[in-house]
Short mmCIF file of all heavy atoms in Angstrom, two decimals:
data_model
loop_
_atom_site.label_atom_id
_atom_site.label_comp_id
_atom_site.label_asym_id
_atom_site.label_seq_id
_atom_site.Cartn_x
_atom_site.Cartn_y
_atom_site.Cartn_z
N LEU A 1435 113.98 132.26 100.64
CA LEU A 1435 113.14 131.12 100.14
C LEU A 1435 111.69 131.40 100.33
O LEU A 1435 111.35 132.06 101.28
CB LEU A 1435 113.52 129.81 100.93
CG LEU A 1435 114.80 129.01 100.61
CD1 LEU A 1435 114.94 127.88 101.52
CD2 LEU A 1435 114.87 128.55 99.14
N ARG A 1436 110.95 130.85 99.45
CA ARG A 1436 109.42 131.01 99.56
C ARG A 1436 108.81 129.54 99.59
O ARG A 1436 109.02 128.80 98.64
CB ARG A 1436 108.78 131.76 98.44
CG ARG A 1436 107.30 131.97 98.58
CD ARG A 1436 106.75 132.89 97.59
NE ARG A 1436 105.26 133.07 97.62
CZ ARG A 1436 104.74 133.99 98.47
NH1 ARG A 1436 105.59 134.71 99.11
NH2 ARG A 1436 103.48 134.18 98.60
N LEU A 1437 108.28 129.20 100.65
CA LEU A 1437 107.54 127.90 100.87
C LEU A 1437 106.05 128.06 100.56
O LEU A 1437 105.49 129.04 100.96
CB LEU A 1437 107.78 127.42 102.30
CG LEU A 1437 109.24 127.28 102.72
CD1 LEU A 1437 109.22 126.72 104.19
CD2 LEU A 1437 110.09 126.54 101.85
N SER A 1438 105.54 126.99 100.03
CA SER A 1438 104.11 126.93 99.80
C SER A 1438 103.47 125.70 100.26
O SER A 1438 104.17 124.72 100.25
CB SER A 1438 103.77 127.15 98.22
OG SER A 1438 104.11 128.43 97.84
N CYS A 1439 102.20 125.76 100.57
CA CYS A 1439 101.57 124.55 101.09
C CYS A 1439 100.15 124.60 100.36
O CYS A 1439 99.36 125.49 100.55
CB CYS A 1439 101.40 124.51 102.54
SG CYS A 1439 100.30 123.30 103.27
N ALA A 1440 99.82 123.45 99.69
CA ALA A 1440 98.54 123.30 98.97
C ALA A 1440 97.71 122.36 99.83
O ALA A 1440 98.21 121.25 100.05
CB ALA A 1440 98.84 122.76 97.65
N ALA A 1441 96.57 122.73 100.20
CA ALA A 1441 95.69 121.97 101.10
C ALA A 1441 94.53 121.37 100.31
O ALA A 1441 93.92 122.10 99.38
CB ALA A 1441 95.13 122.72 102.28
N SER A 1442 94.11 120.21 100.54
CA SER A 1442 92.93 119.57 99.90
C SER A 1442 92.28 118.74 100.94
O SER A 1442 92.92 118.13 101.85
CB SER A 1442 93.34 118.86 98.66
OG SER A 1442 94.15 117.74 98.90
N GLY A 1443 90.97 118.51 100.80
CA GLY A 1443 90.21 117.67 101.61
C GLY A 1443 89.70 118.31 102.93
O GLY A 1443 89.09 117.67 103.73
N ILE A 1444 89.91 119.60 103.04
CA ILE A 1444 89.41 120.32 104.23
C ILE A 1444 88.68 121.58 103.70
O ILE A 1444 88.96 122.05 102.62
CB ILE A 1444 90.58 120.71 105.23
CG1 ILE A 1444 91.69 121.58 104.56
CG2 ILE A 1444 91.20 119.47 105.81
CD1 ILE A 1444 92.71 122.14 105.41
N ILE A 1445 87.93 122.17 104.70
CA ILE A 1445 87.34 123.41 104.38
C ILE A 1445 88.31 124.48 104.81
O ILE A 1445 88.36 124.97 105.99
CB ILE A 1445 85.97 123.67 105.13
CG1 ILE A 1445 85.03 122.52 104.81
CG2 ILE A 1445 85.41 124.99 104.84
CD1 ILE A 1445 83.75 122.50 105.62
N PHE A 1446 89.17 124.80 103.87
CA PHE A 1446 90.47 125.55 104.16
C PHE A 1446 90.22 126.78 104.94
O PHE A 1446 90.92 127.03 105.86
CB PHE A 1446 91.16 125.76 102.88
CG PHE A 1446 92.51 126.52 102.99
CD1 PHE A 1446 93.67 125.78 103.36
CD2 PHE A 1446 92.55 127.87 102.84
CE1 PHE A 1446 94.85 126.46 103.41
CE2 PHE A 1446 93.75 128.60 102.89
CZ PHE A 1446 94.91 127.82 103.25
N ARG A 1447 89.26 127.55 104.52
CA ARG A 1447 89.06 128.88 105.05
C ARG A 1447 88.81 128.85 106.66
O ARG A 1447 89.09 129.82 107.24
CB ARG A 1447 87.96 129.69 104.41
CG ARG A 1447 86.61 128.94 104.38
CD ARG A 1447 85.62 129.59 103.65
NE ARG A 1447 84.34 128.93 103.47
CZ ARG A 1447 83.34 128.74 104.55
NH1 ARG A 1447 83.62 129.42 105.69
NH2 ARG A 1447 82.29 128.12 104.30
N ILE A 1448 88.34 127.82 107.22
CA ILE A 1448 88.02 127.81 108.64
C ILE A 1448 89.18 127.45 109.53
O ILE A 1448 89.11 127.50 110.67
CB ILE A 1448 86.81 126.98 108.93
CG1 ILE A 1448 87.14 125.46 108.74
CG2 ILE A 1448 85.58 127.36 108.06
CD1 ILE A 1448 85.92 124.58 109.28
N TYR A 1449 90.33 127.01 108.87
CA TYR A 1449 91.43 126.48 109.60
C TYR A 1449 92.49 127.58 109.90
O TYR A 1449 92.70 128.42 109.11
CB TYR A 1449 92.19 125.24 108.95
CG TYR A 1449 91.36 123.99 109.04
CD1 TYR A 1449 90.27 123.71 108.35
CD2 TYR A 1449 91.86 123.00 110.00
CE1 TYR A 1449 89.61 122.55 108.48
CE2 TYR A 1449 91.21 121.86 110.12
CZ TYR A 1449 90.10 121.60 109.39
OH TYR A 1449 89.42 120.35 109.53
N VAL A 1450 93.07 127.53 111.07
CA VAL A 1450 94.20 128.26 111.34
C VAL A 1450 95.47 127.50 110.70
O VAL A 1450 95.66 126.34 110.98
CB VAL A 1450 94.52 128.41 112.79
CG1 VAL A 1450 95.83 129.09 113.05
CG2 VAL A 1450 93.45 129.19 113.49
N MET A 1451 96.15 128.20 109.82
CA MET A 1451 97.14 127.55 109.02
C MET A 1451 98.49 128.05 109.71
O MET A 1451 98.60 129.24 110.16
CB MET A 1451 97.11 127.93 107.57
CG MET A 1451 95.92 127.48 106.84
SD MET A 1451 95.59 125.73 106.94
CE MET A 1451 97.15 125.14 106.08
N GLY A 1452 99.44 127.14 109.66
CA GLY A 1452 100.80 127.42 110.30
C GLY A 1452 101.95 126.74 109.67
O GLY A 1452 101.79 125.77 108.85
N TRP A 1453 103.03 127.26 109.90
CA TRP A 1453 104.28 126.66 109.51
C TRP A 1453 105.13 126.36 110.81
O TRP A 1453 105.14 127.19 111.69
CB TRP A 1453 105.21 127.57 108.63
CG TRP A 1453 104.62 127.65 107.22
CD1 TRP A 1453 103.83 128.69 106.71
CD2 TRP A 1453 104.90 126.82 106.20
NE1 TRP A 1453 103.50 128.39 105.46
CE2 TRP A 1453 104.14 127.22 105.06
CE3 TRP A 1453 105.63 125.60 106.11
CZ2 TRP A 1453 104.22 126.71 103.80
CZ3 TRP A 1453 105.68 125.01 104.80
CH2 TRP A 1453 104.95 125.49 103.66
N TYR A 1454 105.61 125.15 110.80
CA TYR A 1454 106.52 124.84 111.93
C TYR A 1454 107.82 124.26 111.38
O TYR A 1454 107.95 123.89 110.22
CB TYR A 1454 105.88 123.63 112.79
CG TYR A 1454 104.63 124.12 113.67
CD1 TYR A 1454 103.43 124.44 112.99
CD2 TYR A 1454 104.68 124.19 114.98
CE1 TYR A 1454 102.29 124.85 113.72
CE2 TYR A 1454 103.61 124.71 115.71
CZ TYR A 1454 102.37 124.99 115.13
OH TYR A 1454 101.30 125.32 115.81
N ARG A 1455 108.78 124.15 112.19
CA ARG A 1455 110.08 123.54 111.75
C ARG A 1455 110.76 122.74 112.73
O ARG A 1455 110.45 122.90 114.03
CB ARG A 1455 110.99 124.73 111.23
CG ARG A 1455 111.52 125.60 112.41
CD ARG A 1455 112.40 126.80 111.80
NE ARG A 1455 112.80 127.59 112.87
CZ ARG A 1455 113.51 128.79 112.67
NH1 ARG A 1455 113.66 129.18 111.33
NH2 ARG A 1455 114.00 129.46 113.65
N GLN A 1456 111.57 121.86 112.29
CA GLN A 1456 112.33 121.00 113.17
C GLN A 1456 113.69 120.80 112.68
O GLN A 1456 113.94 120.30 111.48
CB GLN A 1456 111.64 119.60 113.25
CG GLN A 1456 112.27 118.67 114.27
CD GLN A 1456 111.44 117.47 114.61
OE1 GLN A 1456 110.55 117.14 113.85
NE2 GLN A 1456 111.82 116.88 115.77
N ALA A 1457 114.65 121.36 113.46
CA ALA A 1457 116.11 121.31 113.18
C ALA A 1457 116.57 119.96 113.62
O ALA A 1457 116.07 119.36 114.52
CB ALA A 1457 116.92 122.40 113.63
N PRO A 1458 117.76 119.45 113.09
CA PRO A 1458 118.29 118.20 113.63
C PRO A 1458 118.64 118.30 115.15
O PRO A 1458 119.14 119.24 115.59
CB PRO A 1458 119.68 118.10 112.82
CG PRO A 1458 119.38 118.88 111.58
CD PRO A 1458 118.53 120.02 111.99
N GLY A 1459 118.10 117.22 115.85
CA GLY A 1459 118.31 117.24 117.23
C GLY A 1459 117.48 118.03 118.13
O GLY A 1459 117.73 118.20 119.35
N LYS A 1460 116.55 118.79 117.53
CA LYS A 1460 115.74 119.67 118.24
C LYS A 1460 114.26 119.35 118.05
O LYS A 1460 113.82 118.60 117.20
CB LYS A 1460 115.94 121.09 117.75
CG LYS A 1460 117.36 121.59 118.07
CD LYS A 1460 117.54 123.12 117.72
CE LYS A 1460 118.84 123.63 118.09
NZ LYS A 1460 118.96 125.06 117.81
N GLN A 1461 113.45 119.91 118.96
CA GLN A 1461 112.03 119.67 118.95
C GLN A 1461 111.44 120.49 117.81
O GLN A 1461 111.93 121.56 117.46
CB GLN A 1461 111.35 120.02 120.21
CG GLN A 1461 111.74 119.02 121.38
CD GLN A 1461 110.92 119.20 122.57
OE1 GLN A 1461 110.45 120.34 122.87
NE2 GLN A 1461 110.60 118.16 123.27
N ARG A 1462 110.19 120.20 117.32
CA ARG A 1462 109.53 120.82 116.39
C ARG A 1462 109.09 122.21 117.03
O ARG A 1462 108.53 122.24 118.21
CB ARG A 1462 108.24 120.14 115.79
CG ARG A 1462 107.64 120.71 114.62
CD ARG A 1462 106.47 119.79 114.07
NE ARG A 1462 107.13 118.68 113.49
CZ ARG A 1462 106.41 117.76 112.77
NH1 ARG A 1462 105.11 117.98 112.59
NH2 ARG A 1462 106.95 116.60 112.37
N GLU A 1463 109.12 123.26 116.37
CA GLU A 1463 108.80 124.62 116.91
C GLU A 1463 107.99 125.39 115.92
O GLU A 1463 107.97 125.21 114.71
CB GLU A 1463 110.04 125.36 117.30
CG GLU A 1463 110.92 125.77 116.08
CD GLU A 1463 112.11 126.64 116.42
OE1 GLU A 1463 112.28 126.91 117.64
OE2 GLU A 1463 112.80 127.13 115.56
N LEU A 1464 107.14 126.25 116.63
CA LEU A 1464 106.27 127.13 115.77
C LEU A 1464 107.16 128.22 115.04
O LEU A 1464 108.06 128.71 115.56
CB LEU A 1464 105.30 127.86 116.66
CG LEU A 1464 104.53 128.96 116.12
CD1 LEU A 1464 103.48 128.50 115.11
CD2 LEU A 1464 103.87 129.92 117.16
N VAL A 1465 106.82 128.38 113.78
CA VAL A 1465 107.41 129.42 113.00
C VAL A 1465 106.47 130.64 112.92
O VAL A 1465 106.75 131.76 113.24
CB VAL A 1465 107.85 128.90 111.66
CG1 VAL A 1465 108.42 130.16 110.82
CG2 VAL A 1465 108.88 127.85 111.82
N ALA A 1466 105.21 130.33 112.44
CA ALA A 1466 104.26 131.42 112.09
C ALA A 1466 102.88 130.72 111.95
O ALA A 1466 102.77 129.67 111.46
CB ALA A 1466 104.57 132.24 110.90
N THR A 1467 101.83 131.45 112.32
CA THR A 1467 100.43 130.99 112.08
C THR A 1467 99.69 132.16 111.47
O THR A 1467 99.98 133.46 111.62
CB THR A 1467 99.78 130.52 113.39
OG1 THR A 1467 99.74 131.59 114.33
CG2 THR A 1467 100.46 129.38 113.87
N ILE A 1468 98.55 131.87 110.79
CA ILE A 1468 97.74 132.82 110.26
C ILE A 1468 96.23 132.32 110.43
O ILE A 1468 96.00 131.18 109.98
CB ILE A 1468 98.10 133.10 108.73
CG1 ILE A 1468 97.21 134.24 108.22
CG2 ILE A 1468 97.96 131.89 107.92
CD1 ILE A 1468 97.72 134.90 106.97
N THR A 1469 95.32 133.15 110.90
CA THR A 1469 94.04 132.68 111.16
C THR A 1469 93.16 132.83 109.93
O THR A 1469 93.69 133.37 108.84
CB THR A 1469 93.38 133.57 112.23
OG1 THR A 1469 93.22 134.88 111.83
CG2 THR A 1469 94.21 133.54 113.43
N SER A 1470 91.93 132.46 109.93
CA SER A 1470 91.04 132.63 108.85
C SER A 1470 90.81 133.99 108.45
O SER A 1470 90.58 134.42 107.24
CB SER A 1470 89.67 131.93 109.11
OG SER A 1470 89.10 132.47 110.20
N GLY A 1471 91.06 134.95 109.46
CA GLY A 1471 90.83 136.35 109.18
C GLY A 1471 92.20 137.08 108.89
O GLY A 1471 92.26 138.27 108.89
#
């Protein structure tokens, strides 16, 4: 699967962007992050 996220209203390039996930009955967890660089 390929997930995409479109951002608006922020200066996108300065933010650390990430994906998190939450499975049923579990806490939200980090999947991956990517810095501005």
Side-chain angles (χ1 to χ4, degrees):
L1435 281 175
R1436 184 176 179 85
L1437 307 182
S1438 293
C1439 171
S1442 60
I1444 59 173
I1445 304 174
F1446 180 83
R1447 58 181 171 81
I1448 69 173
Y1449 281 77
V1450 175
M1451 299 301 298
W1453 287 95
Y1454 291 71
R1455 67 186 181 186
Q1456 187 166 18
K1460 295 188 176 181
Q1461 290 188 330
R1462 191 173 298 189
E1463 64 177 3
L1464 169 72
V1465 176
T1467 60
I1468 185 166
T1469 68
S1470 57

